[in-house]
Amino acid sequence: MQTSVPIHGNYHGYYLKRPSREDPRLALLSSIFAGKRVLDIGCNEGWVTCEIAQLWCASKVLGVDIDDSLIRGAWRRRRSVWSSQSPGDETTPVLSVHDTEERPRKRLREEPGRSVLNYFPASLEHTFGPLSIPPSQIRGRHAFPHNVSFRAADWVNNEILEDKDHYDVVIAFSISKWIHLNGGDDALMRFFHRVHSVLDTGGVFVLEPQTWDTYAKAKRMDQRLKENATNLKLRPHQFESLLCSIGFGPAQHLGTTGEGGFCRPVDIYVKL
Ligand SMILES: C[S@@+](CC[C@H](N)C(=O)[O-])C[C@H]1O[C@@H](n2cnc3c(N)ncnc32)[C@H](O)[C@@H]1O
């Protein structure tokens, strides 16, 4: 679903405005990803999703977005990140899922003597095309880029195949405002309940909510959003008590990242 006005926050070129190589939000979360199954809802063009898979060593990451043109961009991003990665990483021993749980792979950039990221310049891919990806039987199903995939879906209103296997971590970075403005309080509650239902007990919900004052600008882009906004009763400062009421533990406020309009808190909630 590509709309000319980005009423779902489906901005193209989002990561040119919001720096996301070595995303500071992920740095706050560092230790939660290794060996985990992660769902990134509202993944846009997949920059953050790829980073979780490549740098933070999740065993499996799925990025979902309502805009299929952004999902096509996310697959291209996966190929580009792979194409600029150091070939040295190909020699990294591949671990089984079992190994990964007991002995998580180190974050790639921490490995001594390695310059894994941006090893090849972007001009290489532009000139010669993307590098081919070795099959998963050689590289490993849980090694980048085989551990990351994407799917176009309105995740608030539609179940997807992968949900039935559940996730250890669900990420909702800068998406709650768009769900709220498009579908009202009901959609937001449905979203929170859906997140709860697809997490295993002990699983982590990562929420970066936009503040109420930012709704004003967003709703101006579309008459329907404006009308929906007038009926909203819930406010972002109530999200914590709502989430606790549906079976999450109290929020852990990890801090605030981002510059200017992107300055937002990152909170985590553990499913009880
Ligand atoms: C402002 S962007 C945030 C991108 C990314 N999460 C980040 O913070 O780096 C919000 C994204 O959520 C997506 N989105 C909005 N509603 C959605 C829905 N119901 N299901 C899936 N994706 C949705 C939009 O298309 C957009 O790419």
Side-chain angles (χ1 to χ4, degrees):
M1 181 200 297
Q2 188 182 6
T3 50
S4 49
V5 179
I7 57 169
H8 297 283
N10 48 326
Y11 298 109
H12 289 239
Y14 186 68
Y15 294 112
L16 302 177
K17 291 202 191 122
R18 178 170 199 161
S20 81
R21 202 71 191 125
E22 309 251 349
D23 194 295
R25 297 171 293 182
L26 298 182
L28 286 178
L29 295 161
S30 61
S31 56
I32 69 169
F33 295 120
K36 303 294 187 199
R37 299 159 300 166
V38 181
L39 173 66
D40 180 13
I41 306 169
C43 67
N44 199 270
E45 285 174 312
W47 288 42
V48 171
T49 328
C50 284
E51 195 171 323
I52 295 166
Q54 184 198 31
L55 289 184
W56 298 104
C57 306
S59 75
K60 203 171 171 189
V61 193
L62 174 67
V64 175
D65 203 283
I66 199 169
D67 183 330
D68 55 4
S69 67
L70 291 174
I71 288 296
R72 286 196 295 280
W75 283 110
R76 285 194 296 276
R77 174 70 188 169
R78 172 183 183 264
R79 186 45 92 80
S80 292
V81 172
W82 166 255
S83 298
S84 65
Q85 176 174 310
S86 159
D89 181 55
E90 285 184 44
T91 61
T92 302
V94 172
L95 303 178
S96 70
V97 180
H98 186 65
D99 286 342
T100 308
E101 278 162 10
E102 287 180 356
R103 184 167 48 91
R105 292 169 66 160
K106 270 190 190 162
R107 199 183 159 212
L108 287 182
R109 72 169 185 184
E110 287 171 352
E111 297 190 5
R114 288 251 172 110
S115 169
V116 173
L117 308 175
N118 303 319
Y119 181 87
F120 293 117
S123 58
L124 189 81
E125 187 190 355
H126 290 146
T127 309
F128 299 106
L131 290 180
S132 61
I133 298 172
S136 60
Q137 296 91 317
I138 294 175
R139 195 162 160 72
R141 277 189 307 130
H142 301 288
F144 184 77
H146 296 295
N147 61 349
V148 60
S149 60
F150 299 97
R151 184 185 270 281
D154 173 350
W155 196 82
V156 178
N157 293 303
N158 298 297
E159 286 180 16
I160 56 172
L161 198 63
E162 293 82 351
D163 292 345
K164 72 174 175 12
D165 292 334
H166 284 203
Y167 309 94
D168 303 304
V169 180
V170 172
I171 296 179
F173 280 157
S174 294
I175 185 177
S176 51
K177 173 174 70 181
W178 301 109
I179 293 170
H180 207 180
L181 278 174
N182 277 278
D185 291 341
D186 287 351
L188 190 78
M189 285 311 289
R190 189 159 58 249
F191 174 62
F192 287 160
H193 278 283
R194 289 240 317 112
V195 171
H196 187 265
S197 73
V198 299
L199 278 168
D200 282 335
T201 302
V204 177
F205 178 36
V206 182
L207 179 63
E208 182 196 35
Q210 294 103 328
T211 52
W212 179 249
D213 58 301
T214 68
Y215 282 50
K217 186 174 168 208
K219 73 184 181 193
R220 279 200 295 271
M221 69 168 81
D222 181 75
Q223 185 56 31
R224 191 176 60 82
L225 296 193
K226 245 188 229 169
E227 286 161 18
N228 287 351
T230 59
N231 295 319
L232 299 182
K233 304 255 181 317
L234 301 176
R235 299 288 181 268
H237 73 266
Q238 296 168 300
F239 291 174
E240 176 168 1
S241 56
L242 291 173
L243 287 162
C244 291
S245 73
I246 65 174
F248 286 98
Q252 297 169 42
H253 304 288
L254 299 188
T256 298
T257 68
E259 305 281 313
F262 292 118
C263 181
R264 290 164 195 163
V266 176
D267 303 326
I268 64 175
Y269 297 86
V270 175
K271 175 170 171 171
L272 302 175

